[in-house]
Amino acid sequence: MALIDLFLAKRVKRGTLTLHHADGKTRTFGTATPGFPDIVLRFTDAGAAAAIVRDPGIGAGEAYMNGRMVIEQGDARDLVKLLMKNDPWEAGQNGLAASPLRRAVQAVTLRFGRVNMARQSKRNVAHHYDLSDRLYDLFLDADRQYSCAYFTDPANSLEQAQDDKKAHIAAKLALAPGTRVLDIGCGWGGMALYLHQQTGAEVLGVTLSEEQLKVARERADAAGVADKVKFELIDYRHVTGKFDRIVSVGMFEHVGPANYTTFFRQCRDLLTDDGVMLLHTIGRAGGPGVTDSWTAKYIFPGGYNPALSEIVAANEGLRFMITDIEVLRLHYGYTLDQWYDRVVAARDEIIALYDERFYRMWQFYLAGAGQSFHYGSMVNYQVQFAKNRHVLPITRDYMLEGERAMRSPTVAPAALVA
């Protein structure tokens, strides 16, 4: 029996996976079970299975991208769901077991790649965020929020959930008119514009993406608020001045563990004595780990999702008080489900923008990411910090009250400039 067959026989117990090998042999694994997909795979050449077994972290993704592994029944999301739902994080170990030597090599290689000095950080950001604006328009919400949404109801639209995410974050910042806010990793400007429109805060957004900077500035100009909402192309390490509030959404994943203390020290030093910060980041439910090889190579070079212990440890000794921690367990799974559906619906347009291989790469990325929140170890953390323990109310009631007020009908966000 091929090594891939041994793995699948052990891994697939509920739901079924039928595998057609390139030599014509067919094997079926598992038992049909309600709630679990039934998948049919075909390997188009004899080396595909060996490539996956040799390096599981990158082999399966590359085989799918390159057409060596074809899904004849179900799709990429169904395949990942079948494998991960059979072995959810709470129950055991996800993925093919790597040898101790391979794990050691991965740990050294990927942690070195996540050092993320300023020059490399800009290159890493450009790799992912300076893709075609049209690509992001095809699967993001109208405000182009490229981070975990907040679902007060899993049935909500993506647009509603992203608006609710902004309200959820804004309420934790306890803003007022004239509050000076720094938005680290501001994306296309949606959060900065929202904070100003909802509260009258004055915002500086910083990014390393030239494409995002251009759009963010155009949006502020179009909304007539460029004097109150400003955007700069600058690394967080080089920001100067003083701010009453700092918000960072979906950027910390690119900082790199070696720079965590530098990041928190810089944020603390940029805040006024009564300053407050809200950090929103993907994180690991368990301890520190490594970024899988395929994601590091094709999607987020230099990216790493921290364990909560790494966030806390990096901040220790800085006297920068953690005042609130919230774990969003399933929200990014729901977000990625909607992104995935939109990408599949836009298949022809994405292929026209790039090619079939890029489409399969993007589809596989969203499929794997989404299921890692449903069944793997990924969660989202929202961590609030303050320089002064007395600056915020002593209960969380103000968050709920502020969020409800901001979720009432208000001025619409500034439109994206085409």
Side-chain angles (χ1 to χ4, degrees):
M1 185 183 292
L3 288 176
I4 191 73
D5 293 345
L6 291 172
F7 164 70
L8 292 173
K10 181 179 179 181
R11 187 65 179 272
V12 181
K13 302 296 186 181
R14 295 173 292 176
T16 63
L17 191 152
T18 298
L19 175 59
H20 300 299
H21 285 278
D23 62 4
K25 294 179 181 177
T26 296
R27 295 271 300 170
T28 298
F29 310 93
T31 303
T33 306
F36 286 76
D38 297 309
I39 304 297
V40 177
L41 287 183
R42 181 180 300 277
F43 289 140
T44 61
D45 66 81
I52 294 172
V53 171
R54 186 165 53 249
D55 190 350
I58 201 166
E62 287 189 337
Y64 182 69
M65 287 167 58
N66 297 325
R68 303 178 74 190
M69 179 178 74
V70 177
I71 303 174
E72 297 187 337
Q73 179 177 310
D75 65 5
R77 180 169 59 189
D78 293 330
L79 173 61
V80 179
K81 179 179 180 179
L82 176 68
L83 296 175
M84 295 190 75
K85 193 173 181 179
N86 264 280
D87 185 19
W89 178 81
E90 295 91 331
Q93 298 280 334
N94 292 121
L96 272 173
S99 68
L101 176 61
R102 180 182 292 159
R103 287 197 300 269
V105 170
Q106 277 189 329
V108 172
T109 301
L110 293 176
R111 283 188 179 273
F112 180 79
R114 296 195 306 269
V115 169
N116 279 352
M117 302 306 288
R119 185 176 301 175
Q120 184 61 44
S121 291
K122 190 174 188 304
R123 286 196 293 266
N124 290 342
V125 166
H127 175 92
H128 190 91
Y129 295 98
D130 285 350
L131 295 170
S132 167
D133 280 351
R134 180 59 184 153
L135 172 66
Y136 291 107
D137 285 338
L138 289 172
F139 74 94
L140 297 181
D141 64 299
D143 195 38
R144 256 196 228 160
Q145 289 291 309
Y146 194 21
S147 60
C148 174
Y150 185 73
F151 287 81
T152 60
D153 182 336
N156 283 353
S157 70
L158 180 61
E159 278 70 21
Q160 179 66 53
Q162 290 292 12
D163 283 346
D164 288 345
K165 182 267 297 291
K166 288 176 284 189
H168 194 64
I169 288 173
K172 293 184 177 185
L173 290 168
L175 300 167
T179 300
R180 295 163 296 172
V181 181
L182 173 64
D183 181 358
I184 300 178
C186 62
W188 291 277
M191 178 63 74
L193 290 164
Y194 178 89
L195 296 180
H196 174 71
Q197 290 162 345
Q198 290 284 346
T199 71
E202 298 180 9
V203 188
L204 171 64
V206 298
T207 179
L208 293 178
S209 167
E210 295 183 15
E211 290 301 314
Q212 289 184 334
L213 176 71
K214 179 181 68 175
V215 172
R217 284 178 168 174
E218 289 173 346
R219 294 182 70 186
D221 285 336
V225 297
D227 60 330
K228 301 295 184 181
V229 184
K230 301 177 181 180
F231 299 98
E232 299 292 342
L233 188 73
I234 186 170
D235 190 280
Y236 71 91
R237 286 165 278 216
H238 303 144
V239 176
T240 59
K242 284 291 182 179
F243 301 88
D244 304 303
R245 300 290 187 266
I246 294 176
V247 63
S248 184
V249 180
M251 175 271 178
F252 193 69
E253 299 90 330
H254 306 285
V255 168
N259 296 313
Y260 286 172
T261 297
T262 298
F263 177 86
F264 288 121
R265 182 182 292 112
Q266 171 71 336
C267 291
R268 181 205 63 187
D269 291 347
L270 288 170
L271 283 171
T272 61
D273 289 342
D274 287 336
V276 175
M277 175 180 172
L278 194 284
L279 175 71
H280 171 111
T281 180
I282 298 171
R284 298 171 186 272
V290 295
T291 303
D292 70 274
S293 303
W294 186 85
T295 300
K297 179 176 180 179
Y298 290 102
I299 306 299
F300 290 114
Y304 173 71
N305 301 320
L308 184 59
S309 61
E310 293 177 290
I311 296 173
V312 173
N315 184 64
E316 289 177 350
L318 297 180
R319 298 182 187 266
F320 192 23
M321 182 169 283
I322 293 177
T323 49
D324 190 80
I325 298 175
E326 182 177 11
V327 182
L328 304 180
R329 292 164 290 119
L330 293 168
H331 294 266
Y332 217 160
Y334 299 142
T335 306
L336 284 152
D337 287 344
Q338 295 209 32
W339 288 351
Y340 182 91
D341 289 341
R342 293 182 180 203
V343 161
V344 170
R347 176 182 179 276
D348 292 344
E349 290 183 75
I350 294 172
I351 291 173
L353 278 174
Y354 294 100
D355 55 27
E356 177 81 27
R357 185 174 186 269
F358 179 93
Y359 167 77
R360 287 196 294 263
M361 178 190 77
W362 208 256
Q363 182 195 23
F364 194 80
Y365 147 54
L366 295 176
Q371 296 310 300
S372 71
F373 287 89
H374 285 297
Y375 304 108
S377 65
M378 294 295 104
V379 296
N380 263 81
Y381 294 120
Q382 287 190 351
V383 186
Q384 185 193 61
F385 303 80
K387 290 182 73 173
N388 177 348
R389 76 181 70 197
H390 301 286
V391 69
L392 293 166
I394 62 172
T395 72
R396 303 180 89 247
D397 292 355
Y398 75 95
M399 298 181 189
L400 300 175
E401 292 163 1
E403 183 176 341
R404 289 191 186 107
M406 279 181 278
R407 284 168 54 192
S408 300
T410 56
V411 178
L416 283 164
V417 178

